[in-house]
Amino acid sequence: MTQSLLSADCSQCAALCCMTFEFEVSDDFAISKPANTACRNLDECGDCKVHDTLEDLGFRGCAVFECYGAGQRVTQDMFGGRTWQDDPSLIPLMAERFRQVRRLHELLMLLEAGAVLALPQVDEAQRVSWAERVDMLVSADASDEEIDAVSKEVHGFLRSLQRHVGQR
Ligand code: SF4
């Protein structure tokens, strides 16, 4: 998987982050919102009405959020471009898949970051193998339990690579 597929492309997403997550009034959010509901700042086209002034208006949490490309993958690859705005019955499943794929894409991003290390062959092979396995879990509609398990193992592997940091 290339780095570009692990970066958000909001033009190909159905504003999944603005629907899926809950947030509460805090330093990061100016308003509260329950999970699986549209943010009141979304317009009828699915765009954020305050996108250009997020931080000024108290939405730092939105400004720094990164889905690692999960939004477009779920919207386009898994739901064929359908949106929860057009069909609200999709909300629970789209939100669940978005949460799960975001976790897996974050793991892929961390594994991809390891490519800049001059890893010994055995570690590099393992890094590539983990990335393939994590990517397969996206396609396989992995459960939360499967994602928890692979996340633990990948983080353990990544920690083991710390001995190579600074050796380039
Ligand atoms: S403020 Fe804008 S970016 Fe943040 S959740 Fe609402 S619509 Fe999305």
Side-chain angles (χ1 to χ4, degrees):
M1 171 158 282
T2 63
Q3 192 67 45
S4 64
L5 294 175
L6 298 174
S7 298
D9 180 355
C10 301
S11 71
Q12 297 299 307
C13 175
L16 291 177
C17 59
C18 306
M19 174 275 284
T20 298
F21 298 108
E22 65 182 2
F23 42 76
E24 291 188 356
V25 173
S26 62
D27 288 346
D28 288 333
F29 297 102
I31 59 175
S32 298
K33 179 186 97 56
N36 295 10
T37 61
C39 174
R40 70 186 189 208
N41 288 330
L42 273 180
D43 68 18
E44 59 280 358
C45 299
D47 294 323
C48 174
K49 288 184 278 194
V50 297
H51 181 266
D52 294 336
T53 50
L54 280 172
E55 297 215 39
D56 292 343
L57 295 178
F59 290 93
R60 182 179 170 278
C62 301
V64 301
F65 179 78
E66 173 57 64
C67 77
Y68 309 110
Q72 67 261 28
R73 191 159 189 190
V74 171
T75 303
Q76 300 302 329
D77 295 359
M78 297 179 170
F79 287 84
R82 288 179 297 155
T83 72
W84 56 271
Q85 292 98 328
D86 290 339
D87 181 357
S89 72
L90 295 176
I91 285 177
L93 189 54
M94 283 194 100
E96 181 186 27
R97 294 306 291 143
F98 178 59
R99 285 177 189 274
Q100 293 171 325
V101 174
R102 181 177 180 270
R103 290 186 65 196
L104 292 167
H105 269 216
E106 184 175 20
L107 291 179
L108 287 172
M109 184 275 299
L110 292 170
L111 287 162
E112 192 65 32
V116 302
L117 299 171
L119 294 176
Q121 206 172 357
V122 62
D123 286 326
E124 176 60 12
Q126 219 179 339
R127 185 189 71 78
V128 171
S129 169
W130 271 120
E132 289 171 353
R133 188 167 154 200
V134 170
D135 194 50
M136 272 172 43
L137 286 178
V138 175
S139 312
D141 289 353
S143 66
D144 287 335
E145 291 71 25
E146 289 172 306
I147 296 171
D148 287 344
V150 80
S151 180
K152 197 171 164 189
E153 288 194 72
V154 168
H155 280 289
F157 169 66
L158 291 169
R159 273 195 300 277
S160 78
L161 298 184
Q162 285 175 356
R163 66 190 188 280
H164 301 300
V165 174
Q167 291 185 359
R168 296 183 71 203

